[in-house]
Amino acid sequence: MAYVHQPQLSRRGFCLCCLGSATFAASGAWLTPSEVFAQARNVVDNMRAAAANAPIKVHTLRGSVSMLEGSGGNIGVLTGPDGKVLVDAGITASRSRILESLADLSRDPIRHVINTHWHFDHADGNEWLHKEGAAIIAHENTRRHLAMATRVEEWNFNFPPAPAGAIPTEVFSTNKTLKVNGGTLELKYYGPSHTDGDISVTFTDADVLHTGDTYWNGFYPFIDYSTGGSLDGTIRATEANLAAATDRTIVIPGHGPVSNKAQLRDYRDMLVAVREKVAGLKKQGRSLDEIVTANPTADFDAKWGRFAVSPMLFTKLVYVGV
Ligand SMILES: [Zn+2]
């Protein structure tokens, strides 16, 4: 089917018909604008539906730290006699499979959940985990977004206020130390980056760093300008992740496989290179459509452009941020 792309720019400069562009990249088929729009409109429901059937893969990392993959964002897990600590809560539809995976790791009850940020694919499971007995810890901006109706422009989705049980019970503004299971977890605010509430969590004893969605391993990242995200802040967060990691550090990215410092460096280099390219074109006065047509991400698409954020959407996210 012939389809000529006709951008429909929203007032914030996004092309509304491409928000779900991952859908046609993944299927390999061109969709009509209304089909693309219909899929974009349901991006959140689509992810929830996918989680309902996805298996949960358990990666044991080091010491008592593991990673669960398959329910939205990657979930970090620390086991021990004080109870499990989860970093991110996944999507509620995976509850039974998450419980099975956690039970396979140990019989400890779930005592803490730390949200790296407020997005549904990281905090949707807060309510049932709270019912299991977990205290929920997050940055104060994460609690703010969860507690009120919040729209994500780029997903064209309105989230209602989260139920009372899903609201973080302990919040902080810059950093927080959690002593648990005979070890130490360091929670650190990045400043505005992927959203305005992102934190890193370091399992100091095992030397494992959970970066939340400031780092997508192998994929162009999403930047949520609707809730205070920032391109330059994402680059700063990546520099902070690099500074916090050594060659021995195991890195849990928000999305993608278990990672390390060398791969974090590749990600930083990609972000900086695309930023430079798009900023240069924008400075020349090129329009967003002209810049998308110039394909400034061409050198990186084969490696980074195969997931939820397509080369086109990523170019737009960078354009808005420079
Ligand atoms: Zn996110």
Side-chain angles (χ1 to χ4, degrees), residues 47-58 68-73 75 77 84 86 88-104 110 113 120-121 123-134 163 165-166:
M47 278 186 74
R48 285 185 168 138
N53 298 309
I56 300 296
K57 197 168 177 199
V58 179
L68 305 189
E69 185 181 13
S71 178
I75 300 172
V77 183
K84 291 189 180 89
L86 268 57
D88 281 342
I91 295 175
T92 304
S94 330
R95 172 183 181 162
S96 60
R97 279 173 309 288
I98 289 176
L99 275 171
E100 278 169 28
S101 303
L102 291 175
D104 285 348
I110 306 161
V113 171
F120 78 101
D121 51 331
D124 197 49
N126 277 9
E127 190 184 27
W128 75 261
L129 286 160
H130 183 66
K131 277 190 192 138
E132 291 283 327

Side-chain angles (χ1 to χ4, degrees), residues 166-180:
I167 307 295
T169 47
E170 296 175 44
V171 296
F172 65 97
S173 56
T174 53
N175 45 46
K176 179 179 174 75
T177 301
L178 188 63
K179 298 266 186 195
V180 66

Side-chain angles (χ1 to χ4, degrees), residues 44-71:
V44 174
D45 292 330
N46 287 347
M47 278 186 74
R48 285 185 168 138
N53 298 309
I56 300 296
K57 197 168 177 199
V58 179
H59 305 262
T60 50
L61 301 181
R62 188 187 285 142
S64 307
V65 180
S66 303
M67 176 182 119
L68 305 189
E69 185 181 13
S71 178

Side-chain angles (χ1 to χ4, degrees), residues 254-310:
H255 297 273
V258 176
S259 191
N260 56 40
K261 186 169 188 175
Q263 291 176 332
L264 254 178
R265 232 180 258 124
D266 291 346
Y267 176 75
R268 187 266 318 269
D269 293 349
M270 177 276 291
L271 290 177
V272 169
V274 174
R275 187 205 183 283
E276 287 310 296
K277 218 158 195 183
V278 172
L281 291 166
K282 193 172 178 179
K283 223 175 197 171
Q284 293 168 18
R286 305 265 204 111
S287 68
L288 172 57
D289 242 27
E290 288 167 341
I291 294 174
V292 166
T293 304
N295 199 4
T297 61
D299 293 347
F300 300 98
D301 290 349
K303 178 168 178 186
W304 303 91
R306 296 161 177 271
F307 186 51
V309 176
S310 67

Side-chain angles (χ1 to χ4, degrees), residues 243-261:
T246 68
D247 291 339
R248 183 178 179 271
T249 304
I250 297 173
V251 179
I252 301 178
H255 297 273
V258 176
S259 191
N260 56 40
K261 186 169 188 175

Side-chain angles (χ1 to χ4, degrees), residues 117 119 121-122 155 194-195 198 213 216 222 255:
H117 62 298
H119 281 158
D121 51 331
H122 301 256
W155 296 340
H194 168 72
T195 66
D198 301 83
D213 273 359
W216 293 28
F222 180 58
H255 297 273

